[in-house]
Amino acid sequence: MPEGDAVWRTARRLHRALAGEVLLGSDLRVPALALTDLAGRTTLEVVPRGKHLLHRLEGGLTLHSHLRMDGSWRVLRAEGSPPRGPGTRRHTVRALLWTGGQLAVGDQLGMLDLVETVHEDRLVGHLGPDLLDRAFNRELALANLVRDPHIPIAEALLDQRNLAGIGTIYASEPLFEHGVDPWTPVGQLDHDVLGAVVDTARLWMVRSCRVGLTAGRASGTPMPADGWLPRRYRVFGRDGRPCRRCGTPIQQGTVGAAPRARELRYCPVCQKS
Ligand SMILES: [Zn+2]
């Protein structure tokens, strides 16, 4: 599943292609929006909010999307109106938006809604502080994380109501970095260690957004090409392979209950807290 940094980059790509441009047309392939036509509206901006995308349009409308597991937005050259390229015909395409020169294709989107911009909170108001927000409210995020002190730290990190943007990569890797057992009840964790885990997740996500990127192997989430982050994942995607610190096979485990259960990777020796 794309995490906050991948969604941030998607928003930037869409913003650069569409902001300030008039839409010549739209094709929204979900039942509730099948008759909606956004032609004639100018894109004001496309911004991320946690793992959600908010495409704000002239006239006070916001097209909201979420990538869920496999969703993506691609920007292609628009050929004709309506566009007819092969990328437009896949049965998994949920949205086409086009200007005179650019075509945005939303494929396998997990959510697609149109709301009045003043009512965006109905869709994203439940989210905790956004790790990629310049004004990230760290104290509120930390307070949210320990609201239920009995749940495992990994589950608390993945709950978007506590803080927004973390998926299994940015839960697994910082917990390994700080030697924290993912199943530690969050209330039992030292406050400074909890703060350090959040700071590391944020630092790595911010840097992933800023620096040049190489294609990643997992989840479509690329890793930065420079030395700010570990160049390779240390636990994520490494089931059964030796821990880079101690050699113990990396294990896979589940946090949370269905349908929100998520798979994490960890080192059973390095992460004892
Ligand atoms: Zn280890």
Side-chain angles (χ1 to χ4, degrees), residues 176 243 245-246 267 269-270:
F176 177 84
C243 172
R245 279 189 191 148
C246 76
C267 172
V269 172
C270 293

Side-chain angles (χ1 to χ4, degrees), residues 198-235:
V198 169
D199 292 345
T200 297
R202 180 161 195 251
L203 185 69
W204 289 355
M205 287 175 71
V206 167
R207 287 175 173 173
S208 171
C209 292
R210 281 189 189 152
V211 301
L213 300 157
T214 53
R217 287 182 299 121
S219 295
T221 304
M223 291 294 277
D226 77 347
W228 282 350
L229 268 180
R231 283 171 188 267
R232 299 169 295 178
Y233 293 128
R234 291 180 296 178
V235 287

